[in-house]
Amino acid sequence: MVVGKSAGLFGGAPANVRVRAPGKINVSFRVGPLREDGYHSVASVYLAVSLYEEVTATVSEEPGTVVTVNGQGSLNLPVESIPLDATNLAARASALLAELSDHSTGLLLDITKRVPVAGGMGGGSADAAATLLACDALWNSGFSRDELAKMAAELGADVPFALIGGTAVGMGVGEQLTPAISKTPLHWVLVTSAYGLSTPEVYRALDELRLREGSEPTAPPEIDPRILGAMRSGDAQALAELLHNDLQAAALELAPDLAGILQAGTEAGALASIVSGSGPTVAFLAESEEHAQALAGQLTADGLTATAVHGPVHGARIVTDYIA
């Protein structure tokens, strides 16, 4: 979407701001026991990847926030399922910042979706992170990244990571972030589905599965330090042996067709495969950029919707603002 130049409201502040924020893969995701607050404790290794949401925030003379959504690319994005009212996570982000800003205005939020919808890659969280950054610039609020990250944590466990990007360890419910060093790119192929999975439903399925198996955990989970070592060195072969997602079995119960997708990637030569977060997006680890491109081509030829990505990449970032 191209946003035209228009006059600023507050001493040269932009009248519109465009921000990109990345989706993520949970390279490792371990789920602990249910907490008293109704959430599960988790231990996650987040990796921001080169599939970006884009949010354009524009000053409106009308009060409130109007949200529009469109999809780009060929990743089976069911954008018609996304709410456009106050329950939309980006709209909630703008409302939160408006309460704290001295210069908030009516707002138009145009969201371009590239991250799978309800796909386990944090697309809605990326929208919220992008909105926080865009509105902060739009309204000259002057909040620091740390202050925005605290606001982000109020919106959801994945929102702070979409703001900072890179690689990080997430504890608590995922919102307690510790950045990790990981500069060498890792290459992946994502296979998306035409449907989404509800994260709360996947967690419920996990609880039921553990109850049937008598395998409920009793202590908060921990991170295997070998994962961080493999990511720090960019050693895809070593990382392939360490990918783990406690939610994968539950996602497979709700969407049995994912088993065939996982098998297809193995047969096509992926180093390893994992359901991303709560699914249904499946991530295949590749040896190199060339391997990822070849793998994506093979899976596409097999009739799947596949795209090659890499990570780590930066978090939410302003890509265009127009100042009068």
Side-chain angles (χ1 to χ4, degrees):
M1 177 179 179
V2 177
V3 182
K5 183 176 180 180
S6 54
L9 267 67
F10 312 113
N16 37 57
V17 178
R18 183 160 54 98
V19 174
R20 293 198 313 174
K24 54 81 181 172
I25 295 172
N26 295 93
V27 174
S28 178
F29 196 72
R30 296 189 180 273
V31 180
L34 191 65
R35 309 189 323 177
E36 291 184 359
D37 61 6
Y39 293 94
H40 292 77
S41 58
V42 304
S44 176
V45 178
Y46 292 106
L47 178 70
V49 296
S50 56
L51 198 61
Y52 299 95
E53 298 284 270
E54 191 171 287
V55 175
T56 300
T58 304
V59 170
S60 171
E61 296 181 358
E62 300 297 323
T65 298
V66 175
V67 178
T68 60
V69 177
N70 66 89
Q72 283 196 359
S74 57
L75 291 181
N76 290 328
L77 304 184
V79 295
E80 64 279 355
S81 67
I82 298 172
L84 302 180
D85 58 13
T87 64
N88 182 283
L89 196 56
R92 289 173 53 201
S94 67
L96 176 60
L97 193 63
E99 292 179 1
L100 302 171
S101 176
D102 293 332
H103 302 300
S104 60
T105 66
L107 192 67
L108 301 176
L109 284 181
D110 183 73
I111 302 172
T112 297
K113 300 292 296 181
R114 296 186 180 91
V115 176
V117 177
M121 291 190 64
S125 296
D127 295 337
T131 299
L132 287 175
L133 188 58
C135 289
D136 178 64
L138 193 70
W139 296 333
N140 264 350
S141 301
F143 292 110
S144 68
R145 279 276 176 155
D146 286 344
E147 290 170 325
L148 292 175
K150 291 178 181 178
M151 298 177 206
E154 297 182 34
L155 297 165
D158 288 344
V159 183
F161 179 70
L163 192 66
I164 69 168
T167 303
V169 172
M171 304 298 287
V173 296
E175 88 292 0
Q176 298 173 17
L177 295 178
T178 303
I181 297 173
S182 177
K183 296 182 179 180
T184 304
L186 291 162
H187 297 275
W188 305 78
V189 173
L190 304 175
V191 170
T192 58
S193 300
Y195 60 88
L197 286 176
S198 162
T199 298
E201 288 183 12
V202 175
Y203 272 99
R204 281 194 291 271
L206 175 64
D207 289 337
E208 292 170 2
L209 184 62
R210 286 175 164 176
L211 185 62
R212 291 199 306 267
E213 296 176 346
S215 59
E216 301 98 322
T218 58
E222 298 179 351
I223 293 295
D224 185 340
R226 294 177 299 165
I227 295 173
L228 299 177
M231 296 182 72
R232 184 164 51 248
S233 63
D235 188 339
Q237 290 283 355
L239 183 62
E241 303 296 324
L242 301 170
L243 299 185
H244 180 84
N245 181 7
D246 278 348
L247 293 179
Q248 181 161 309
L252 286 166
E253 285 226 336
L254 295 174
D257 63 296
L258 294 180
I261 296 174
L262 290 164
Q263 181 64 29
T266 300
E267 293 176 353
L271 296 183
S273 60
I274 191 170
V275 172
S276 180
S278 55
T281 303
V282 175
F284 297 103
L285 181 60
E287 179 68 42
S288 63
E289 181 177 4
E290 294 75 19
H291 183 205
Q293 294 293 343
L295 181 59
Q298 179 61 56
L299 292 171
T300 299
D302 290 341
L304 299 172
T305 303
T307 187
V309 298
H310 65 272
V313 298
H314 59 75
R317 179 176 294 180
I318 294 173
V319 291
T320 305
D321 57 10
Y322 298 90
I323 300 177

